[in-house]
Amino acid sequence: MVEWTDQERTLIANIFANLDYEDIGSKALARCLIVYPWTQRYFGGFGNLYNADAIMNNPMISAHGVKILHGLDRAVKNMDDIKNAYATLSELHSEKLHVDPDNFRLLSDCLSIVIASKMGYDFTPDLQAAWQKFLTVVVFALGRQYH
Amino acid sequence: MSLNAKDKGLITGIWSKISSKAPELGAEALGRMLTVYPQTKTYFSHWADTSPGSAPVKKHGAVIMAAIGDAVTKMDDLVGGLSSLSELHAFKLRVDPANFKILAHNIHVTIAMYFPADFTAEVHLALDKFLQNLALALAERYR
């Protein structure tokens, strides 16, 4: 089981309390598809991904980015048992979606960068540490059921 | 993943934008790396203070960022241009190359914080490719 300090719990709760899912979710997924173009392999049915502008303005991608970001909510609600909270989602990503788990790490990095852009100096090193620890735990849980 | 003309343009563009703040950005990125990835502190056991904003972090962050700025001018031949730095890292410092990626991520985070409007996805892409190529050139003499 992952151990969280009180400070970490507070920092993470604060990020979610102020999170603009529509803005951050859409930007994070779009950035991932642009910066790591091989991730587009999972989005064949999502319309025009021809260039960065097309991706940034693609409504299907935006909507999906928001959906993915909301996927983190269950971790916030189950901080002390993230591994089990993501068991079914992990199976889904492995058995049905066939997503290489390394992609979760790539998306996490883009998410951190988008949040850093928005928060500026408020994205302190301690906040970054807590946030990235949180994402690492979620990413691990999502990869847990692959076999 | 080699740099095309568009990448090179974006890299020189963003670097000229950030160069006046380079020492500050370097210190910020290095301080963040040491905080968020504590295993990287193992290379700095000779520093009294590895916290963000400390004197050794500020000084060394500036050194690293200046070297990256120099590498921008040598973009067309990173392996040749960085050969002595590569020897330094290979034979003296022996930094595990996995850490170059970690520092690169923290450089991206720092630039995103300070220059959110300029650090577009396309600039991020170009800079990520550049820093990866830089890392490869730095590891050239390792084995």
Side-chain angles (χ1 to χ4, degrees), chain B residues 4-143:
Chain B
N4 57 37
K6 181 177 173 192
D7 294 324
K8 293 182 185 181
L10 289 172
I11 293 157
T12 38
I14 189 70
W15 207 265
S16 62
K17 194 93 209 229
I18 71 175
S19 58
S20 59
K21 285 211 157 208
E24 203 183 321
L25 296 171
E28 182 76 45
L30 182 62
R32 260 162 210 278
M33 184 184 80
L34 296 167
T35 306
V36 180
Y37 302 86
Q39 70 271 21
T40 57
K41 290 193 290 189
T42 54
Y43 293 97
F44 300 100
S45 51
H46 55 289
W47 286 357
D49 189 353
T50 51
S51 59
S54 69
V57 169
K58 273 178 157 163
K59 183 165 173 231
H60 200 62
V63 164
I64 293 175
M65 215 61 169
I68 297 177
D70 183 57
V72 172
T73 67
K74 298 170 175 168
M75 251 191 309
D76 290 325
D77 180 21
L78 284 172
V79 171
L82 294 174
S83 74
S84 52
L85 264 180
S86 181
E87 278 193 34
L88 176 74
H89 284 75
F91 302 117
K92 191 153 179 273
L93 303 177
R94 292 189 238 183
V95 176
D96 187 319
N99 294 289
F100 302 148
K101 225 178 230 192
I102 294 175
L103 181 58
H105 172 68
N106 286 288
I107 290 173
H108 294 319
V109 168
T110 302
I111 297 179
M113 278 169 52
Y114 280 64
F115 297 91
D118 299 295
F119 196 60
T120 62
E122 285 177 296
V123 169
H124 177 176
L125 163 62
L127 190 63
D128 195 39
K129 284 171 76 175
F130 171 69
L131 291 175
Q132 274 198 37
N133 287 343
L134 203 166
L136 274 174
L138 216 49
E140 177 69 18
R141 302 299 310 276
Y142 270 54
R143 57 177 174 172

Side-chain angles (χ1 to χ4, degrees), chain A residues 31 34-36 38 52 56 109-110 112-113 116-117 120-121 123-126 128-129 132, chain B residues 1 21 32 35-37 52 105-106 108-109 112-114 116 119-122 124-125 128:
Chain A
R31 188 167 281 249
I34 292 165
V35 178
Y36 308 107
W38 54 94
M56 298 289 305
D109 284 349
C110 286
S112 300
I113 285 165
S117 309
Y121 302 117
F123 196 58
T124 62
D126 283 342
Q128 185 184 344
Q132 289 196 200
Chain B
M1 299 180 216
K21 285 211 157 208
R32 260 162 210 278
T35 306
V36 180
Y37 302 86
H105 172 68
N106 286 288
H108 294 319
V109 168
M113 278 169 52
Y114 280 64
F119 196 60
T120 62
E122 285 177 296
H124 177 176
L125 163 62
D128 195 39

